[in-house]
Amino acid sequence: MPAPQSPAVPLPLIFGPFDPSGASHLPIDAVICAGLGAHAGSVATAIHVQDTAGTETIQRLSPELIDDQARCLLEDMAIGALKIGPQYDPETISTLAQIAADYSSLPLVLQLCAPPPVPDLEDLDPEETIGALLELLVPQAHLVVVDAGLPEQWASQGLLSSARADDPIGALHEFGAPLVLCCNAALGTGLNGLVLHARDQAGRRWPWPAPRVRTGDAESLLATVLCCLLARGLDPDQAIPQAVAASSALLERHFHPGMGQRILLHAQP
């Protein structure tokens, strides 16, 4: 008898740090994807030592290990989309950029973050890391997810195009990002939300719950949901509104498991 066919399950591939508290990044991304009917492959790029209060140390993994693991999965499974979460050094970013270039047909969701202030990264120049993100990964991203204040901060530090210092989103477009989804953007007095910036188009806006959890966790959640939907074959115009609705509902569920901050609850009720 012929072997039964496997069901068509979306297969996103997530690159990011391992967060042992389960608040964000790996392995919680796999839980989010499973809740959306997808099966996530994971490539750890760093291992955190952290709790619900914050990150104490970060152990970066070797670029060779990252490359080997990614290509094993990409050559084995029909991966449908990529998500790259926080990255901490130019060498890792260069490795990920080469992988993304070799699989450029796959949509890439890039979550932009500033390197955290931990002792393990003191040997690195944060401006070099941010420069590598902007020059190597942003041009390959189909969609960038970022806190609205971060491009403004980078522009004030002279890390974006000096010609676009008063338009940091325009500078990200010039680096090559066609779509930039800003979280925690000001929509009005006392009201924050999401703003989608497309090159040469008016921005689209959505309300966004005021997070009672760490802001970065909410951005990571949104980027992961987007990656799942793109892996399902949706285009960004279809995926973004659906991701906003799904993520907003998930943000309403959180709990307080330790002595630090509240974290998102992804367990089924």
Side-chain angles (χ1 to χ4, degrees), residues 126-165:
E127 293 191 3
E128 290 185 3
T129 299
I130 295 166
L133 286 170
L134 294 171
E135 295 172 11
L136 300 179
L137 285 179
V138 168
Q140 301 192 67
H142 294 71
L143 174 61
V144 169
V145 179
V146 63
D147 183 271
L150 192 57
E152 296 177 1
Q153 176 186 330
W154 288 351
S156 70
Q157 295 171 338
L159 301 178
L160 299 177
S161 169
S162 58
R164 305 299 295 267

Side-chain angles (χ1 to χ4, degrees), residues 25-246:
H25 314 311
L26 309 180
I28 199 63
D29 282 341
V31 177
I32 297 169
C33 292
L36 296 171
H39 177 84
S42 301
V43 178
T45 56
I47 299 175
H48 288 194
V49 174
Q50 73 174 82
D51 55 21
T52 58
T55 302
E56 294 183 2
T57 62
I58 294 174
Q59 178 66 52
R60 287 169 279 146
L61 301 182
S62 74
E64 294 78 15
L65 177 63
I66 294 166
D67 186 74
D68 286 347
Q69 183 57 79
R71 294 183 188 276
C72 279
L73 294 173
L74 286 160
E75 293 167 10
D76 176 52
M77 301 190 293
I79 298 298
L82 309 175
K83 174 201 167 184
I84 296 179
Q87 303 302 325
Y88 307 131
D89 65 277
E91 192 174 4
T92 298
I93 292 166
S94 178
T95 298
L96 297 181
Q98 186 59 61
I99 294 168
D102 290 345
Y103 291 87
S104 58
S105 61
L106 298 178
L108 168 60
V109 180
L110 175 63
Q111 180 192 357
L112 283 182
C113 303
V118 296
D120 308 81
L121 305 183
E122 288 180 350
D123 61 320
L124 299 170
D125 183 344
E127 293 191 3
E128 290 185 3
T129 299
I130 295 166
L133 286 170
L134 294 171
E135 295 172 11
L136 300 179
L137 285 179
V138 168
Q140 301 192 67
H142 294 71
L143 174 61
V144 169
V145 179
V146 63
D147 183 271
L150 192 57
E152 296 177 1
Q153 176 186 330
W154 288 351
S156 70
Q157 295 171 338
L159 301 178
L160 299 177
S161 169
S162 58
R164 305 299 295 267
D166 61 340
D167 182 13
I169 301 301
L172 290 178
H173 287 319
E174 286 190 352
F175 274 108
L179 298 171
V180 179
L181 184 59
C182 289
C183 304
N184 306 303
L187 301 184
T189 303
L191 177 63
N192 286 352
L194 302 176
V195 179
L196 175 66
H197 299 272
R199 188 190 296 269
D200 301 324
Q201 296 182 25
R204 297 172 61 188
R205 301 182 171 205
W206 294 271
W208 187 243
R212 294 184 61 192
V213 296
R214 293 176 292 196
T215 302
D217 299 344
E219 292 167 20
S220 180
L221 164 68
L222 181 58
T224 301
V225 174
L226 281 163
C227 186
C228 284
L229 295 175
L230 294 176
R232 192 177 292 167
L234 277 65
D235 62 37
D237 283 342
Q238 298 170 309
I240 292 170
Q242 291 190 33
V244 171

